[in-house]
Amino acid sequence: IIICTSLKIFNILYVTQPRRIGVNDRSINPIFLYINGGKFEALSPKTHLWPNPISNHAQSSNPFQNSTHLQPQSLVKPVKKIGALKGVSVVARRLRSDVNECFSKLTVGGSDAVGGSSFLQRLGGGVGSRVNGGGGGGGVNDLPIDDNCVFAVAVEKKLILVGLVGRSSENYDSVAGSLVTLREISCVDVVKDLVWVNDSMIVGCSSGYYLCSCVTGQCGLIFSFPDVSSVLRLKVLKKDYKILMLVDNVGIIVDSHGQPVGGSLVFNGSPDGIGEMGSCVAAIHSGKMELYAKKSGNCVQKVVFGGEGRGNHVIADDEDGNGKAVVVATPNKVICYLKVPSEEQIKDLLKKKDFKEAVSLSVELHDDGEISKETLSLVHAQVGFLLMFDLHFEEAVNHFLLSETMQPSEIFPFIMPDPNRWSLLVPKNRYWGLHPPPAPLESLETAVDDEFLLNPPNRDDLLDTAIKNLIRYLNVSREKDLTASVREGVDTLLMYLYRALSCVDEMESLASSENWCIVEELETLLNDSGHLRTLAFLCESKGMSSKALAIWRILARNYSSGFWADPAKTNEKHDLGANIISGKENAATEATRILVELSDQDLILQHLGWYWSNPWTNINNMLAVRVLTSEKRSHQLSPDEVIAAIDPKKTEIIQRYLQWLIEDQGSDEPQFHTSYALLLTKSALETYGTESQSEQINGSESGNHSIFQSPVRERLQVFLQSSDLYDREEILYLIEESELWLEKAILYRKLGQETLVLQILAVKLEDSDAAEHYCAEIGRPDAYMQLLDIYLNPTDGKKPMFKAAVRLLHNHGESLDPLQVLERLSPNMPLHLASDTILRMLRARRHHHYQGQVVHNLSRAVNLDAKLARLEERSRLVQINDESLCDSCHARLGTKLFAMYPDDTIVCYKCFRRQGESTSVTGRDFNNDPVFKPGWLVME
């Protein structure tokens, strides 16, 4: 019995024990090619040869009694034998895999083919040399070849390619078709099996497998057999048109060019037949059928035939490669096996807890296009939930991460019991009901097996592992595009899990970064657990600055070192007090980071008070100054209110704030300048005499380091010199009885009291350089005479400063009147101290007199020379006639007014007005490049 398909309609023909069948199932009118007694024959149905095609009663002696007719009307035609060939061992129809693959058009004849008439004669004495039932007309070579009806016939060591010509579906009664030879190819050995895909034929011989080309006729060895007794078999896997080559119990999948495209399939025995079902290969042997996955090579299913297991078995699959069914024929039954739906296969594997095989099958089905990407994601999520309840948390999260459709909200019930804020976000009934509803990790129940009883895990270790892996999943989920409510749940529950493991650094990092945490859900939890730093960071990130500052204020006043450790000191040994102070300083620093960006003046001034209420004043003073002088805020604070709010005892802070207002902000308010000068003066008076000037550091608190890097007197002196907006009299009144002589000199200089300034510099400070420099600033000769008087007649009972006087005369005596100097010299001054200086003054005086005379006479000579040159220039004559032209506009001058430049260029008056007096027509600018004409004294 031959069962073939044509348009999915079954038909049955009686033939004499056929061994190998070739069927053209793509044509509307089928042609049956079979090997009968070593002869290759082709039949075309013409008559209905049996009364009942298919029996539904397997136990009936006549299987065709009481059956239903299924054949179409096109098959109720007479059957005619159109050709036959003796000695045929194998027949294979040419298959076309893809339109993109090489599929050459074959023609009748060729360099290595025999004539069509010779082949037809061997088929049946020339019956095919003409069209069936036809007498003359054109030969078969003139008719087109049907590409779907081309076959390869193996006769011992030769391959004969034949094709059907003359087929006509429109005029079926008149033309049934004829077979002609297309090519003959010689093989190296007797052909035992054969498949033909596109332009390539893979031939199985006793020595090995060969690749033959139907176009060139060349054959090449793919690989040889280790043993000539090896059992070989070829099977075309029509799902993707790959070829399975078997050697004994090993199968290798290759493409149409003989190149391996996958792994090997190792069967439990040498198969009697091979079928294809989707992504699997079915092999029958020893009374059973085994199903192997193509990619993994695993045996996924076994079917034993039972009482029908003895004898030969035949297996067949879908001709169109859909892989939906295979049919197995036992000696007394024909059994049809349908493919179980993909989801049912996966569910069955999951129920058996064969998770690895279930995932592998799902991936393979997805790659083959049998299931969608969403289904694959669902499988990963389902496996993850099953593993969660089996307490394999790491593997479960790995599968959760592989699922692209799983929502993070689906794991919320593992973290927080229902009901909660996010209960409605958890999807319901999305899976196959293979696991119980999610529950908090502490209450998970799992099946107990022998392995579990022999080696029971520690509950705390399991819980720790579960939390760590859920943290890993939520961290990855934060990078996904989620709704706002789901983001809130992810971040809030992530904080829950961090707190459960006491991951302080991770908690603070999450709280201080951009997050979606719900403060109301976490405030009580963090407060009760003592994680106030995390709560402060969280409040700050949500814009709750007032609450964050209140927390930092609490930490700065009463800090426990158990919740935070200075990273820079973790490897050092410190006592508890040092750790607590470090924590308080850090709390104040974090509060400062918030305050420097705030513009809420009331809130800032409210929290400034506790900065100087701690023993570590120096650090707090610097932090307070940083807050007050911050330029990060959008609106600056009111200086009057800031100064009023600062503790008057904190003079350093007030000074630094006023300095910032004046120097950095450019304030020109006299009250600020006066206040700053008074504060500096008071600080200078307090520290004067207690330390050397290099150690006079500002600050009313003794023993503390200052926030300033320069001594207070230095800053006072610089400010008194640079500013003109403070009240000088008020500062003078404050230091009048003090020894701050340089400051007094600066103030007197501002007031124009030259004599007092010179007295302080010369007598009190004994700074001759400064005194002489001040005289130079005054710029009058009498200033030096005044300084000389002070040196010779000092006040306060001091002796005359003869050395300073001599130094002054030595440096600036030339500019003084010798008579006035002699008049002011004291009779008590030793003559040997002043004689050299006085002589030098007199010589210099006479030298200046002579030098002045020389300069005066030279100037007169130059002046006279210039006058002569000017007279000479004005006395020059210029002759102008009718042919004279303007050097600029080239117009005739005639009787026009004209001008002549020093370089002898002549222009009309109009051009002269346009050019100007200093620039001639040649472009020379006489202001920058004058013309020198030699005279008796002036030379160029």
Side-chain angles (χ1 to χ4, degrees), residues 118-135:
S118 173
F119 174 67
L120 292 175
Q121 290 172 0
R122 283 181 281 170
L123 281 177
V127 294
S129 62
R130 61 184 183 277
V131 178
N132 260 359

Side-chain angles (χ1 to χ4, degrees), residues 473-602:
Y473 177 75
L474 291 179
N475 274 322
V476 175
S477 299
R478 296 189 73 208
E479 306 299 326
K480 297 181 180 179
D481 186 13
L482 306 174
T483 61
S485 56
V486 175
R487 286 186 181 276
E488 292 173 353
V490 168
D491 285 0
T492 304
L493 296 182
L494 185 59
M495 186 69 76
Y496 266 88
L497 297 177
Y498 280 145
R499 190 207 64 83
L501 296 181
S502 296
C503 299
V504 178
D505 292 340
E506 288 76 5
M507 293 170 63
E508 294 182 2
S509 177
L510 175 61
S512 59
S513 61
E514 183 180 356
N515 64 81
W516 291 74
C517 293
I518 303 299
V519 179
E520 293 79 5
E521 293 284 336
L522 297 171
E523 184 173 4
T524 303
L525 179 72
L526 297 175
N527 200 5
D528 294 343
S529 62
H531 294 93
L532 295 182
R533 284 176 54 87
T534 301
L535 183 58
F537 284 129
L538 188 59
C539 292
E540 179 189 353
S541 67
K542 299 301 177 183
M544 306 166 66
S545 301
S546 178
K547 182 175 290 187
L549 288 170
I551 297 173
W552 290 122
R553 182 173 184 174
I554 294 173
L555 292 175
R557 289 183 172 181
N558 185 20
Y559 196 92
S560 174
S561 62
F563 300 122
W564 180 82
D566 190 350
K569 301 178 181 179
T570 53
N571 295 326
E572 302 177 11
K573 292 184 179 179
H574 292 270
D575 55 24
L576 181 61
N579 285 334
I580 292 177
I581 291 178
S582 175
K584 291 180 178 180
E585 293 176 1
N586 184 268
T589 302
E590 295 295 343
T592 301
R593 185 175 48 79
I594 301 175
L595 290 171
V596 295
E597 297 183 358
L598 283 181
S599 297
D600 188 343
Q601 180 171 289
D602 296 335

Side-chain angles (χ1 to χ4, degrees), residues 1 3 10-12 14 50-71 332-335:
I1 301 173
I3 301 178
F10 291 90
N11 202 350
I12 298 179
Y14 284 105
W50 60 92
N52 301 299
I54 298 179
S55 173
N56 295 326
H57 305 280
Q59 303 298 328
S60 174
S61 58
N62 185 353
F64 302 106
Q65 291 180 356
N66 303 322
S67 61
T68 306
H69 296 266
L70 299 176
Q71 71 272 18
N332 56 0
K333 281 186 180 180
V334 175
I335 307 172

Side-chain angles (χ1 to χ4, degrees), residues 332-514:
N332 56 0
K333 281 186 180 180
V334 175
I335 307 172
C336 181
Y337 294 93
L338 297 178
K339 181 181 178 181
V340 177
S342 302
E343 291 189 3
E344 297 300 325
Q345 298 180 50
I346 299 170
K347 287 181 185 178
D348 185 65
L349 292 172
L350 294 178
K351 291 176 182 178
K352 297 176 181 178
K353 293 188 178 297
D354 194 353
F355 302 133
K356 186 175 181 181
E357 190 62 40
V359 172
S360 176
L361 176 61
S362 301
V363 173
E364 191 170 347
L365 292 172
H366 172 262
D367 293 342
D368 293 338
E370 297 189 26
I371 63 173
S372 62
K373 195 172 186 179
E374 289 74 15
T375 303
L376 178 60
S377 296
L378 183 142
V379 172
H380 279 297
Q382 179 68 86
V383 172
F385 280 108
L386 292 172
L387 288 169
M388 283 290 291
F389 284 95
D390 284 350
L391 306 184
H392 298 294
F393 303 111
E394 184 176 359
E395 298 176 38
V397 170
N398 289 340
H399 284 284
F400 286 157
L401 295 175
L402 291 174
S403 175
E404 297 184 5
T405 58
M406 180 177 173
Q407 293 296 320
S409 57
E410 297 181 48
I411 70 164
F412 289 177
F414 289 114
I415 305 172
M416 180 178 287
D418 289 333
N420 55 65
R421 181 189 291 261
W422 301 281
S423 296
L424 298 179
L425 298 178
V426 182
K428 306 296 182 182
N429 301 324
R430 291 193 59 221
Y431 299 101
W432 294 328
L434 302 180
H435 64 272
L441 295 173
E442 298 85 353
S443 59
L444 284 183
E445 297 182 359
T446 184
V448 178
D449 53 14
D450 294 339
E451 182 181 355
F452 188 90
L453 294 175
L454 293 175
N455 187 21
N458 182 276
R459 184 180 185 276
D460 293 338
D461 292 342
L462 282 176
L463 193 59
D464 186 75
T465 303
I467 293 175
K468 287 181 179 178
N469 283 282
L470 288 180
I471 287 174
R472 180 164 61 95
Y473 177 75
L474 291 179
N475 274 322
V476 175
S477 299
R478 296 189 73 208
E479 306 299 326
K480 297 181 180 179
D481 186 13
L482 306 174
T483 61
S485 56
V486 175
R487 286 186 181 276
E488 292 173 353
V490 168
D491 285 0
T492 304
L493 296 182
L494 185 59
M495 186 69 76
Y496 266 88
L497 297 177
Y498 280 145
R499 190 207 64 83
L501 296 181
S502 296
C503 299
V504 178
D505 292 340
E506 288 76 5
M507 293 170 63
E508 294 182 2
S509 177
L510 175 61
S512 59
S513 61
E514 183 180 356

